[in-house]
Amino acid sequence: MNSMLPPLDPVTSDTQLPARADVVVIGGGIVGVAAAYFLARKGHVVALVEKGRIGAEQSGRNWGWCRQQNRDRRELPLMRHSMDLWSRFNGEIGADTGFRRTGLVYVTKDPAELANWVAWGEMASEFQVDSRILSPAQARAMTPGNEQDWIGGVHSPTDGRAEPAMATPALAAAARRLGVTIHQACAARGLEMTAGRVSGVVTERGTIAAGAALCAGGAWASMFCRRHGIDLPQAGIRSTIFATTPAVEVTPGGLVTPDFTLSRRLDGGYVVAAQNRGRLEVTPQGLRYARRFWPTFQVRRKSLSVGIGRSFFEGPEAMPGKWAFDKPSPFERNRIFAPPPDLRIAEPALRRVVAAYPALHGIGVAHIWGGWIDSTPDAVPVISAVNAVPGFFLATGFSGHGFGIGPGAGRLAADLVVGDPPVVDPAPFAYARLVDGTDLGKPGMM
Ligand SMILES: Cc1cc2nc3c(=O)[nH]c(=O)nc-3n(C[C@H](O)[C@H](O)[C@H](O)COP(=O)(O)OP(=O)(O)OC[C@H]3O[C@@H](n4cnc5c(N)ncnc54)[C@H](O)[C@@H]3O)c2cc1C
């Protein structure tokens, strides 16, 4: 069993760190890369710094789903815009992100789950989302070869998936062609401040003078913020998924059943996720924010196991202390955060898949890997200025569904950084809601 990610497309770096830029983007996941792309399209000079490799953390480790289905209401306008961007990108950037509108299907035997989908569909009708509730017969028809006694399901035919190994690198290369300089293996250690506002970003290779910095650092954003006295409640869940060897097609896109989630890859294999297997690891940062995440934990606890692991001592939620900007920071000590996968889940999950789909007999595990899902207390991202630090912006906290919305999030972040009219109302993504005592209510769907 190969406990590594499937190979990620490489991106060429720029060797020379620029002395100045209009905007420095910190983090080369889908969100930072999309923001850099749109800033460059608006004519701004952009440098993007990435401590490891473009797309090597969450954006290269996910299922690839790009969905409106089952999203929090607050995210639907931005997700709709994101779906338009996905469908345009291949033509616009002249490279394949792997995006295909293959449709997503969820089936169930649980009346409460079905009722949630029905309620969601009623809520989403004002956004004209293409989503249909399935009768038992329709659910069986959507799962040929695995026709169980489903009580129903839901189908979103125009949702789909992109390939995580291809999408962020392809967009980064396109951003570079537009003039963005890309610096991999180059961590941002912190912000340079002059007269109370951002005047540059200090990196391990020197300082880039800039009037604006956008932190799209994924799970590391809270640590980055803390160094500057900015409180950002963020918590992570460790997750394991695996890719199979190529096999016959039993679903063209994504399928959620009570026992597993299957996603058809472009290479003819599947990504498999075992349901109910996220792991909440106790970390210093987790303890710091335990009270704020307690309501979320209560809602999700059935789908989580709790434990302690290496993440207590290393990674984005460890206790780094305060670092000096002229010394290596925790970011460069951990170039690519690759949480170890839970190898025990693979065989039972594969057995369940083959039991459901006998046509997949003989399928094997090609790659298995771990990912760290960063969340906010309400499971809605932050895409926002931080008013206390003029010139500093955040785009983070995508809570397990940031790949699909990443292009739209990057576009919105770009609008906010340069003060252009925002592509959608940014109010639901404001940073302030997480720290000003706003009642965050029940967490959105992950
Ligand atoms: C197992 C799994 C399955 C998922 N499935 C889906 C799915 O199907 N659909 C979906 O929409 N979402 C999914 N997600 C969530 C999705 O992957 C993330 O929400 C999304 O990729 C977040 O993108 P990002 O750019 O914010 O973060 P990341 O991709 O994590 O990028 C952040 C980058 O910032 C860099 N960085 C951090 N600090 C610094 C610093 N100081 N200096 C320089 N660089 C820095 C990091 O190295 C990293 O590359 C899944 C996640 C996991 C783990």
Side-chain angles (χ1 to χ4, degrees):
M1 210 183 296
N2 187 348
S3 43
M4 277 173 72
L5 268 186
L8 188 64
D9 286 351
V11 177
T12 306
S13 276
D14 291 275
T15 42
Q16 190 78 30
L17 198 73
R20 66 167 27 260
D22 296 336
V23 184
V24 176
V25 176
I26 300 161
I30 187 76
V31 177
V33 164
Y37 173 82
F38 286 110
L39 284 163
R41 281 202 23 190
K42 289 169 184 279
H44 298 278
V45 177
V46 183
L48 183 150
V49 295
E50 163 54 54
K51 66 181 173 59
R53 279 185 64 191
I54 295 291
E57 290 200 349
Q58 290 180 82
S59 297
R61 296 172 178 271
N62 61 70
W63 306 350
W65 287 33
C66 304
R67 62 174 168 89
Q68 300 188 73
Q69 183 66 50
N70 292 345
R71 258 185 196 269
D72 191 283
R73 186 179 200 287
R74 291 164 285 185
E75 294 182 349
L76 282 174
L78 188 58
M79 189 61 215
R80 192 185 166 96
H81 180 64
S82 225
M83 292 303 285
D84 287 347
L85 292 173
W86 279 117
S87 56
R88 289 210 308 260
F89 271 158
N90 285 355
E92 192 173 293
I93 68 176
D96 194 1
T97 61
F99 178 70
R100 307 285 186 272
R101 287 192 189 267
T102 42
L104 305 176
V105 176
Y106 298 62
V107 291
T108 188
K109 297 176 181 175
D110 175 3
E113 191 165 41
L114 186 59
N116 275 341
W117 297 338
V118 171
W120 182 89
E122 283 161 7
M123 176 280 291
S125 59
E126 77 173 272
F127 299 98
Q128 291 90 44
V129 176
D130 189 7
S131 161
R132 301 155 201 182
I133 289 293
L134 302 174
S135 67
Q138 288 168 327
R140 282 195 296 278
M142 297 296 303
T143 52
N146 178 22
E147 297 95 340
Q148 300 190 34
D149 51 347
W150 313 124
I151 59 162
V154 63
H155 179 212
S156 54
T158 50
D159 282 345
R161 66 179 292 282
E163 284 296 338
M166 296 160 66
T168 309
L171 198 54
R176 196 162 174 262
R177 287 195 293 276
L178 292 176
V180 173
T181 60
I182 293 195
H183 310 280
Q184 295 171 100
C186 182
R189 291 177 175 168
L191 302 171
E192 183 192 72
M193 303 292 295
T194 305
R197 59 165 302 131
V198 171
S199 57
V201 171
V202 184
T203 81
E204 61 182 292
R205 291 195 223 146
T207 299
I208 308 171
L214 170 68
C215 179
W220 299 85
S222 186
M223 184 187 280
F224 188 90
C225 284
R226 202 170 315 128
R227 177 65 179 76
H228 292 278
I230 302 163
D231 184 26
L232 176 65
Q234 209 178 10
I237 304 288
R238 178 157 74 96
S239 183
T240 297
I241 62 176
F242 62 90
T244 70
T245 50
V248 294
E249 182 174 303
V250 298
T251 179
L255 171 66
V256 180
T257 79
D259 295 325
F260 51 78
T261 297
L262 273 188
S263 312
R264 179 79 166 159
R265 290 162 51 88
L266 282 189
D267 68 3
Y270 294 90
V271 168
V272 181
Q275 300 291 62
N276 300 333
R277 277 303 195 160
R279 183 170 166 87
L280 178 71
E281 296 201 337
V282 178
T283 62
Q285 183 174 295
L287 293 171
R288 169 190 292 259
Y289 290 125
R291 197 174 50 77
R292 290 198 239 178
F293 278 91
W294 187 249
T296 319
F297 176 68
Q298 294 289 84
V299 173
R300 305 246 153 87
R301 67 181 169 178
K302 278 201 202 124
S303 62
L304 294 173
S305 66
V306 182
I308 192 159
R310 289 209 317 245
S311 56
F312 194 93
F313 306 102
E314 61 179 44
E317 299 193 12
M319 185 93 75
K322 209 164 176 158
W323 60 92
F325 290 167
D326 60 353
K327 302 257 169 24
S329 69
F331 310 113
E332 56 226 78
R333 284 199 291 270
N334 209 324
R335 296 271 174 210
I336 297 175
F337 185 49
D342 180 352
L343 299 177
R344 292 166 307 178
I345 71 154
E347 286 311 321
L350 212 50
R351 265 202 307 276
R352 287 200 297 276
V353 170
V354 174
Y357 284 107
L360 294 179
H361 179 75
I363 197 170
V365 177
H367 296 270
I368 181 164
W369 66 94
W372 191 262
I373 295 176
D374 72 306
S375 319
T376 60
D378 58 3
V380 170
V382 175
I383 308 168
S384 174
V386 177
N387 292 336
V389 183
F392 184 55
F393 297 81
L394 282 169
T396 187
F398 286 86
S399 305
H401 45 267
F403 180 72
I405 208 170
R411 168 62 203 268
L412 178 60
D415 293 344
L416 297 178
V417 168
V418 297
D420 284 350
V423 65
V424 299
D425 177 9
F429 310 114
Y431 162 71
R433 78 183 193 279
L434 298 183
V435 289
D436 67 2
T438 297
D439 178 3
L440 298 174
K442 278 196 176 163
M445 296 200 192
M446 297 207 51

